[in-house]
Each structure stands twice: as structure tokens, then as C-alpha cells.
Amino acid sequence: SLSDKLDSIFRKLKGRGLLKEEDVDAALKEIRLALLEADVNFKVVKEFIRHIREKAVGKEVLESLSPGQQVVKIVHDALCELLGATNTRIQLAPNPPTVIMMIGLQGSGKTTTTAKLARFFKKEGRRPLLVAADLQRPAAIDQLATLGKQLDLPVFLSRETKDPVAVSEEALKRAKLDGRDIVLIDTAGRLHINEDLMVELKRIKEKVSPREILLVADAMTGQDAVTMAKSFNDQIGIDGIILTKMDGDARGGAALSIRNITGKPIKFIGTGEKIDMIEPFYPDRVAGRILG
Amino acid sequence: VLLNRKIDDSTLDEIEEILITSDVGAESATEIADLLRSKVRAGEIRSSDDVTTCLKGEMTALLGRSQPLVLFGERPFVILTVGVNGVGKTTTIGKLASRFIAEGNSVIIAAADTFRAAAIEQLEIWARRTGADLVKHQSGSDPAAVAFDAVEAAKSRGTDVVIIDTAGRLHTKSPLMEELKKINRVIKKALPDAPHEILLVLDATTGQNALRQVRIFNEAVGITGIALTKLDGTAKGGIIFAIKKEVGIPVRLIGIGEGVDDLKDFSTEDFVTALFE
Ligand SMILES: Nc1nc2c(ncn2[C@@H]2O[C@H](COP(=O)(O)OP(=O)(O)OP(=O)(O)O)[C@@H](O)[C@H]2O)c(=O)[nH]1
Ligand SMILES: Nc1nc2c(ncn2[C@@H]2O[C@H](COP(=O)(O)OP(=O)(O)OP(=O)(O)O)[C@@H](O)[C@H]2O)c(=O)[nH]1
Ligand SMILES: [Mg+2]
Ligand SMILES: [Mg+2]
């Protein structure tokens, strides 16, 4: 484990003493490696290591922990602080309905997560409306319709149009007529470098004024996490992040990268394929997992 | 990005950064950088142009020659498609079916993802688009039975290729990996030489976890080829170096978009060039 590796670096250091610069630098090499292996972005790691170095050098070695454990604690606490955020609840709009828009790369888990959130809100006593605004992927409408049926929740869809903006607008009108207080819009997966599709997202945003735009990202995403999250945030503006497939064994460094580059809170994690497998995000659990 | 100038530590650091941000992995990136460093010290590399040439040469040698997907042996040729959730299995099958049909083959697609919402409907659309036949059962039925029926149908109709779609599954879920082993065994009951290709689909945006996926799927059913999807994005897919080094499984195909024609044979040369763009 990282703790063991760091213990061997600090073997010469006993009980009372200060964490010396050269020992800390040796430890930082190991920590840097651990973070890169965990898929934390290269530049984010660089910045983070610099931040840790400031915190660790010259610190007094505590009686209760080995020096290695102490450095791990400094790193773990710093990770928690960076990952954590205060605003992790979905914000409701002052005037209903609250519109929530799900965006992200292809296959990240948007459609499944849209349904998971709908179930979550239904359990809280709300009346969500699901909106099938992915008109491009084969059977995307059927996928959301099937999930809506499982939840006994209405799904707004249209097989007539190819315009997701029109579908979203119509869905909002329908939600107001039917007294639905939450509108969850599932959009097609897209690349942040596809200009037309990013314009399409902007147009949906303009027309329905979402209270929350959530970036749905795969926990196993590698170095590209920073590029794509920054691009989505710069072009569309995101309010929060949902990290999916956390039931796998990916270390999840993408969480730190995306949080760091966008400054936006991670609100939920997906923990399975079934519709009830979504949980609020706990920074300390993810921090421990990133460190490995 | 590496303009012709004298080699120094900062050049080699830059190279390590390019490699790491391409998902090559910290360990492999350091190995490659160290190799270059020793060549610089030995005087084999003088300018940074040399470095680029040497680097591309090293990486090309590491990946080896391309090994495309070729139909061989008795028909039907059976391809079992596997991988974790959302990587592009179903879409890749649609693209493959289209390619085989364009080459004059008859194709049966087996809808053996009987679990996920609208998985069968999604594949029905691809079958219709490409002219492939579809073998499907009810949603929720036994995936092994679908695979078996598809191979049996191919045998009786004289179909050239069977491509079997399976549900996305995380390699960490042992009941799902057991189900995959069962699908594989049942295919063999229908045709002892099948599957002729067990194709693992990997997403180019995936980081170091791709290596774990390869290891565990390989242990479970034996992977004979990899399809690397979503290379039309900004992710570089550098993890394939570590994969090649560890298990030697060839990347056969790359996905470069969501359309039916967005499938190319893997080319080592093109991949290495794209890595440094
Ligand atoms: N194990 C696991 N699988 C998940 C999770 N979330 C989604 N999935 C699966 O990931 C795959 C992709 O999910 P989708 O909801 O279709 O993804 P999407 O982002 O809507 O895909 P596109 O619309 O094509 O961009 C499916 O097989 C889902 O069941 C999760 O938290 N854990
Ligand atoms: N940009 C791009 N998108 C792709 C590529 N291949 C697949 N996709 C998209 O990725 C998403 C998921 O593709 P699927 O074929 O449903 O993936 P899957 O592995 O079958 O998913 P599950 O069955 O849910 O595990 C879809 O939106 C596809 O259009 C590719 O090469 N490039
Ligand atoms: Mg979707
Ligand atoms: Mg599929």
C-alpha cells in the first residue's frame, strides 16, 4: 500500500522529529505515482504535489502515527478538501418546474442516471417528468420509455421530430400543464469538440433555462477527463457532476481532475446498473479509493 | 510540438508529459523516457528531431505489426463481443456487420444482451440498417440460449458470419463474468471451433482501468482481439502500449464515430502519429 511504501522511506525517522525536505520529496515521488496510476490528470497532480509539499515539510512527526501514515493523512485530508463541496444537493427552482439537463460524452451513463434521479425524486414525493431528447442514438427513446415505465413515471417523447430543442420546449410546456415539478432532460452523448452538437446544447439551455446542468462522467475516464470537462463547462456551463460506474474498480482519479478543473461539485455517484443504484457523493470515500 | 533543438532534461520531461497525458501510464512513460535518455547519453540521439524519430520508432516497435480481423476456417465465423458498460459494443457490431456484408458475406447478429433496457431494439435498428439477420429472444431470457440459436441458425442457413452482442458488464462482477464463461461454453456446444474471435471492446477515454479490464476478461474467456472506440474524441488510447506489453493481444479495429462506416483497421503507424498530434 502507499502507506507501507512511505513508511520505508521514513524508516530512519523516529518518534520526535520534523518531516525533512528530502524525505518528503522521496515520499512525494511515490504519491505522484499513485495519483497518476489512479488517473488523476498530469497537471492536477503537479499542482497537488506542490500543495502537499508546503503542508508536509517541517511538520512535526506525531507520536500516534508513523511518519508514512502521517504523510498519507496529510494527502488524504487535502484530497477530501479538494473533492468536497458544500453545494451538493440538487437545487430546486423557486418557480416550478425545476429543469435538470443531463449532458456528457457517449456511453457515460446519462440515460440510466436520468432514470435513477427520477426515481430518487419520486421517493422524495416529487412529480418528475422524463424527457427523451436524444433523437440520434438508435432506440434511445425506447430506452428511456422502458425505464420510465419501470418507474411508473411519464416520459415525454416524440418520434415525429429530429429537433431536441423542440422536444425540450414542448416537454416543459407539458410539465407545466400537468403539474410536474421536476423535468429531467436526457440528451444524446456528444463530443465536446463537435461544434454543432455543442451549439444544440446551448440552444436547449436557452429555451428551457435549466436550474441544473449535470455533467455525467464515467469513473474510469483517464487523462481526457480534464479536457472534456473543461470544454463542457466553458461552452455550456455545468452546475454539478455525477460520476458513474463507481461499482467498478477504477481508482476514480477523474473525480479529482473534473472537480479541480471545473470547480463544480460532485453531487452523486452511480453504483450499479439497476435503477436504485445512485448515492450521494462522499469525498472521504473517494479520496481513499484514489490513493489506493 | 518538439521543435528541433538540443536535447535536455526539459525535452525528456515534455515527452514524459505527452505520454502520460495520452494514458500511456506513468510506469511505461518513465521506461520510454529512460530509454531515450540512455540513447542520448550514448550519443545515438543528437537533436530533438532525432528524439521524435527514435520515440516513434520505439513505440511502433512496441506495438508491433497490425493484425487485422480476418475471416478464417470453416463458416460460420463466430465473433463474441464483450466489454464493460457503454464502451461501444453494440455500435461496433453494427459497423462490423455492414463491413462484412459489403465484402459479400451473409451476417447474423445475435441479440444476447437480454438485460439492458431497449438493448434488443437498438440492435434491431442496426440489423435493419445493414441488411444483417437478427436472432433474438424475449428480453430477460438466457443470453447463452440466444447465442446458441444464432450459431445453429448460421449452420443451417450457411451464413458466413455470426456476431454476438453481450450485455455490458464490469469485470469486477463475478456472477456476470461467470455468465460470460457460460455463453462461451454454450457457443462451443453449437460449434466446437467457435468463437473464432473474442473481441474485447475498449473505450479510448478509459484510463489505467482498461488494463484491468483486459486482464480479467482475458482470464475469463480468452480475448483474441481488441476494438478501441471513440478515437474521434480527444482521448489518445495510449493504454494499448501497456496492454500489448502485458498480454500481447492485438488491437484489430478502431471506432472513429457513431456512423455505420466509422470503423477502421488499426494501423500502428497512424496510431503512433496521432499520439503526437
Ligand atoms: N455498472 C454500472 N453500469 C452503469 C452505471 N450507470 C450506467 N451504467 C451502464 O452503462 C451503460 C451506458 O449507460 P447509458 O445510460 O446508456 O449511457 P448514455 O450516457 O445515456 O449513453 P449515450 O446516450 O449513448 O451517450 C449501460 O449499460 C448502463 O446500464 C453505473 O453506475 N454502474
Ligand atoms: N464518438 C463515438 N461514439 C461512439 C463510438 N462507438 C460507439 N459510440 C457511442 O457510444 C455510445 C454507447 O455505444 P453502445 O454501442 O450502446 O455501447 P455498448 O458497449 O453496447 O453499451 P452497453 O450495451 O450499454 O454496455 C453510443 O452513443 C454510441 O453511438 C465511436 O467510435 N465514436
Ligand atoms: Mg443515452
Ligand atoms: Mg450494447
Side-chain angles (χ1 to χ4, degrees):
Chain A
S1 76
L2 181 63
S3 206
D4 299 334
K5 288 196 191 132
L6 298 186
D7 275 338
S8 68
I9 289 172
F10 290 108
R11 214 191 324 263
K12 315 178 240 80
L13 200 62
K14 292 197 191 336
R16 324 223 102 240
L18 302 177
L19 293 172
K20 286 203 266 62
E21 210 169 313
E22 59 268 33
D23 291 329
V24 170
D25 280 338
L28 289 179
K29 268 191 126 184
E30 288 298 331
I31 293 164
R32 174 180 177 271
L33 196 60
L35 294 175
L36 287 174
E37 284 171 351
D39 292 323
V40 182
N41 180 268
F42 185 89
K43 291 207 165 74
V44 173
V45 172
K46 213 169 182 178
E47 206 181 305
F48 183 77
I49 293 294
R50 200 176 330 164
H51 175 71
I52 293 300
R53 197 171 186 280
E54 285 172 22
K55 289 195 175 235
V57 170
K59 281 286 174 303
E60 189 170 326
V61 182
L62 303 174
E63 287 288 350
S64 52
L65 298 172
S66 72
Q69 286 172 334
Q70 185 165 344
V71 174
V72 171
K73 182 163 188 332
I74 291 172
V75 175
H76 181 100
D77 290 350
L79 277 179
C80 284
E81 196 178 338
L82 285 178
L83 285 170
T86 48
N87 199 3
T88 57
R89 290 241 49 192
I90 301 266
Q91 300 298 303
L92 297 179
N95 305 317
T98 295
V99 178
I100 300 169
M101 198 169 140
M102 315 290 282
I103 69 177
L105 293 177
Q106 290 88 348
S108 63
K110 297 174 292 299
T111 305
T112 311
T113 306
T114 303
K116 289 177 179 181
L117 279 182
R119 177 186 174 281
F120 175 82
F121 286 126
K122 181 178 181 181
K123 292 196 84 203
E124 286 198 332
R126 309 223 168 261
R127 299 159 45 81
L129 172 68
L130 294 145
V131 183
D134 177 355
L135 308 178
Q136 178 261 348
R137 168 173 153 153
I141 295 176
D142 299 302
Q143 187 183 2
L144 196 64
T146 302
L147 294 171
K149 193 149 172 271
Q150 276 177 32
L151 296 173
D152 190 24
L153 283 174
V155 180
F156 185 90
L157 58 88
S158 165
R159 295 183 195 276
E160 312 299 306
T161 175
K162 276 273 161 258
D163 182 5
V165 184
V167 171
S168 305
E169 274 188 286
E170 278 308 303
L172 186 55
K173 289 195 187 120
R174 164 102 296 147
K176 289 175 180 165
L177 288 174
D178 294 354
R180 310 307 292 178
D181 56 1
I182 305 214
V183 175
L184 288 152
I185 304 178
D186 180 27
T187 67
R190 68 201 63 217
L191 296 177
H192 45 290
I193 51 173
N194 185 318
E195 291 189 27
D196 292 341
L197 290 185
M198 295 307 280
V199 165
E200 179 182 271
L201 275 188
K202 285 185 198 143
R203 287 183 55 227
I204 297 177
K205 178 182 179 181
E206 278 165 28
K207 290 292 182 185
V208 301
S209 307
R211 182 69 191 74
E212 293 259 349
I213 298 180
L214 300 177
L215 178 65
V216 179
D218 196 322
M220 57 183 106
T221 309
Q223 296 288 313
D224 194 52
V226 156
T227 313
M228 75 90 180
K230 178 170 196 313
S231 186
F232 273 100
N233 194 32
D234 288 349
Q235 295 191 65
I236 310 297
I238 68 178
D239 299 295
I241 298 150
I242 300 184
L243 213 55
T244 62
K245 307 178 203 172
M246 286 288 279
D247 44 319
D249 60 0
R251 298 261 293 274
L256 183 63
S257 304
I258 296 174
R259 164 100 182 110
N260 180 285
I261 202 77
T262 62
K264 299 297 160 67
I266 301 172
K267 304 214 169 189
F268 291 98
I269 59 169
T271 55
E273 293 172 278
K274 302 223 175 73
I275 215 156
D276 57 348
M277 292 174 171
I278 186 169
E279 298 174 11
F281 169 74
Y282 294 108
D284 62 323
R285 289 183 201 171
V286 176
R289 175 174 176 150
I290 289 175
L291 284 180
Chain B
V1 79
L2 300 171
L3 311 159
N4 199 5
R5 55 175 204 262
K6 203 170 150 313
I7 320 279
D8 57 8
D9 267 345
S10 80
T11 314
L12 294 172
D13 285 348
E14 249 175 75
I15 287 176
E16 211 168 339
E17 178 168 350
I18 292 174
L19 294 175
I20 290 176
T21 55
S22 306
D23 287 317
V24 165
E27 193 179 301
S28 302
T30 304
E31 274 174 34
I32 293 170
D34 286 346
L35 180 65
L36 290 176
R37 193 165 286 125
S38 64
K39 291 203 179 222
V40 171
R41 292 211 183 105
E44 293 176 38
I45 298 175
R46 303 279 163 74
S47 72
S48 62
D49 268 3
D50 285 347
V51 174
T52 314
T53 311
C54 180
L55 182 56
K56 287 186 178 175
E58 279 308 314
M59 304 193 80
T60 303
L62 284 169
L63 285 181
R65 306 186 56 228
S66 311
Q67 295 179 49
L69 180 57
V70 189
L71 304 181
F72 63 84
E74 297 271 330
R75 296 299 125 92
F77 185 90
V78 180
I79 302 169
L80 177 62
T81 313
V82 304
V84 303
N85 308 71
V87 295
K89 298 177 291 302
T90 304
T91 307
T92 301
I93 289 172
K95 295 171 182 177
L96 270 175
S98 172
R99 170 197 274 214
F100 288 131
I101 287 171
E103 291 172 352
N105 297 291
S106 52
V107 176
I108 284 178
I109 299 177
D113 176 357
T114 56
F115 168 76
R116 205 208 68 211
I120 299 173
E121 288 89 321
Q122 184 184 5
L123 211 45
E124 275 180 307
I125 292 172
W126 280 108
R128 212 173 321 128
R129 272 183 191 172
T130 59
D133 289 329
L134 186 75
V135 168
K136 59 172 182 167
H137 291 181
Q138 285 234 35
S139 177
S141 54
D142 177 14
V146 182
F148 184 87
D149 280 3
V151 178
E152 286 296 323
K155 280 159 65 185
S156 71
R157 295 179 211 171
T159 310
D160 297 302
V161 188
V162 181
I163 317 177
I164 301 167
D165 190 14
T166 61
R169 68 200 65 223
L170 292 182
H171 49 289
T172 47
K173 310 216 157 146
S174 31
L176 298 184
M177 296 310 285
E178 286 308 310
E179 177 186 81
L180 193 58
K181 289 180 195 170
K182 179 183 170 207
I183 294 173
N184 195 22
R185 283 196 303 273
V186 166
I187 291 169
K188 290 187 191 310
K189 284 213 182 93
L191 192 65
D193 285 351
H196 302 81
E197 175 82 351
I198 302 189
L199 187 68
L200 175 68
V201 182
L202 295 176
D203 187 329
T205 66
T206 302
Q208 299 305 301
N209 196 252
L211 193 53
R212 286 202 55 73
Q213 293 172 25
V214 174
R215 268 184 213 140
I216 295 178
F217 275 93
N218 192 32
E219 275 168 34
V221 290
I223 302 298
T224 56
I226 290 168
L228 186 63
T229 62
K230 309 181 197 173
L231 276 172
D232 46 318
T234 47
K236 298 283 184 171
I239 194 67
I240 66 167
F241 288 96
I243 292 172
K244 180 72 183 21
K245 189 164 152 216
E246 183 164 322
V247 288
I249 298 170
V251 178
R252 304 253 198 232
L253 301 157
I254 61 171
I256 49 165
E258 302 186 72
V260 69
D261 295 325
D262 293 330
L263 185 73
K264 285 174 61 187
D265 285 339
F266 177 77
S267 145
T268 302
E269 201 182 346
D270 291 351
F271 186 82
V272 173
T273 306
L275 210 60
F276 296 104
E277 271 167 10

